[in-house]
Amino acid sequence: MDKTNLFYERLLKAVEQSGKSVNCIERELGYSRNELHNYKNGTAPSGSRLIELAQYFHLSPDYLIGKDDATDYICPESFFQKLNKEQKIKMLKIAQKWATRQIIKPDFEIKQMKKKN
């Protein structure tokens, strides 16, 4: 794939996967009409625009500009918001178990050891 158009190709792929139109995304981000199409000629986005687009699509900036091929960047808050109520409850139970094993229990054991000394 031509490096000059890699950003635009990946941007279009992210747009397609979002299920929204380019114009819809431009409106949601407050961009002028056809602003995203301006990247078709190989123009690189500004740093702030790159970060904004990466956050919107939940991708890493490095992926969008072609420095990384991994698309597995996931914003925890965004991931959680996409869960339904049942999935959120299950996630909460998992987090509680983890916190008990990793944080609460060791803190309790340290306090008990200090009391003995």
Side-chain angles (χ1 to χ4, degrees):
M1 186 177 294
D2 183 9
K3 279 286 194 184
T4 59
N5 285 333
L6 185 58
F7 171 76
Y8 185 70
E9 294 295 324
R10 289 185 172 183
L11 178 63
L12 287 182
K13 183 177 179 181
V15 168
E16 182 181 310
Q17 289 176 341
S18 75
K20 298 178 181 179
S21 70
V22 172
N23 289 335
C24 175
I25 292 168
E26 288 170 334
R27 281 191 308 272
E28 288 180 0
L29 292 171
Y31 299 168
S32 62
R33 186 169 164 82
N34 294 321
E35 196 163 339
L36 295 179
H37 285 293
N38 292 337
Y39 296 116
K40 188 175 187 175
N41 65 4
T43 304
S46 67
S48 59
R49 176 62 52 90
L50 176 63
I51 298 297
E52 191 172 52
L53 290 167
Q55 288 175 341
Y56 181 87
F57 291 111
H58 311 295
L59 297 168
S60 75
D62 285 346
Y63 168 76
L64 284 175
I65 61 173
K67 286 189 173 185
D68 190 355
D69 288 330
T71 61
D72 58 354
Y73 170 77
I74 298 174
C75 173
E77 291 84 6
S78 297
F79 174 78
F80 188 76
Q81 292 302 322
K82 291 179 182 179
L83 300 176
N84 64 36
K85 185 177 180 179
E86 183 179 305
Q87 292 169 322
K88 287 178 181 176
I89 291 169
K90 187 174 182 178
M91 186 67 70
L92 176 61
K93 289 178 182 179
I94 292 169
Q96 285 174 326
K97 286 180 186 178
W98 178 88
T100 299
R101 286 191 308 266
Q102 301 295 320
I103 300 170
I104 298 169
K105 187 176 179 186
D107 286 348
F108 177 76
E109 290 171 353
I110 290 169
K111 289 177 185 176
Q112 292 300 321
M113 289 174 65
K114 287 181 179 179
K115 284 183 182 180
K116 290 180 182 179
N117 294 331

